Amino acid sequence: MPENRPFSLATFLKYSPRTIKRIKSQIQGREAYIVGGLLHQDDLAVADELDVPILGPDPEVAHLYSSKSGSKRVFAAACVPVPPGQYDIYSRKQMLEVLSQLIIDYPEVKRWVFKLDHDYGGNGTAYCDIIAHLKCYPWIQKEIHRYGPEIWRKKWAHDM
């Protein structure tokens, strides 16, 4: 195994036949299973080697739903109301396009929150205060007032 890199416990076990053998002797004749969090292929390999079931989703499926975008997909599929936003954004260009459209569609939102899919504990979170950072915001408000909220919601009103 390469040195000086972080590895999961399952990865260490996978490459330690002696430890696997010791665990097998400890669980022999007993009911045993593995309870994992976000599973990896190495967790499945260790469960197979120990011949014990593993409680948790398949890593391929878990990956789809373990991110912030994945959570949004689950909420959307369950028709759970969520604040306006977008998910599955993978480039700066796409983020700017989506944010621009969200600002036009939801002009009442004064602060937009950005969250990276796989950062936890508040890391990967940023805010954008629209009034402070968007120079054309007064113009947008003027146009909304000119057309009225009902007409502004029609796409042609902001394409002019």
Side-chain angles (χ1 to χ4, degrees), residues 57 79 91 100 118:
C79 299
S91 70
S100 298
H118 297 287

Side-chain angles (χ1 to χ4, degrees), residues 12 15 43 61 87-88 120 126 156:
F12 277 115
Y15 294 102
D43 295 292
V61 174
Y87 52 92
D88 288 328
Y120 300 98
W156 63 263

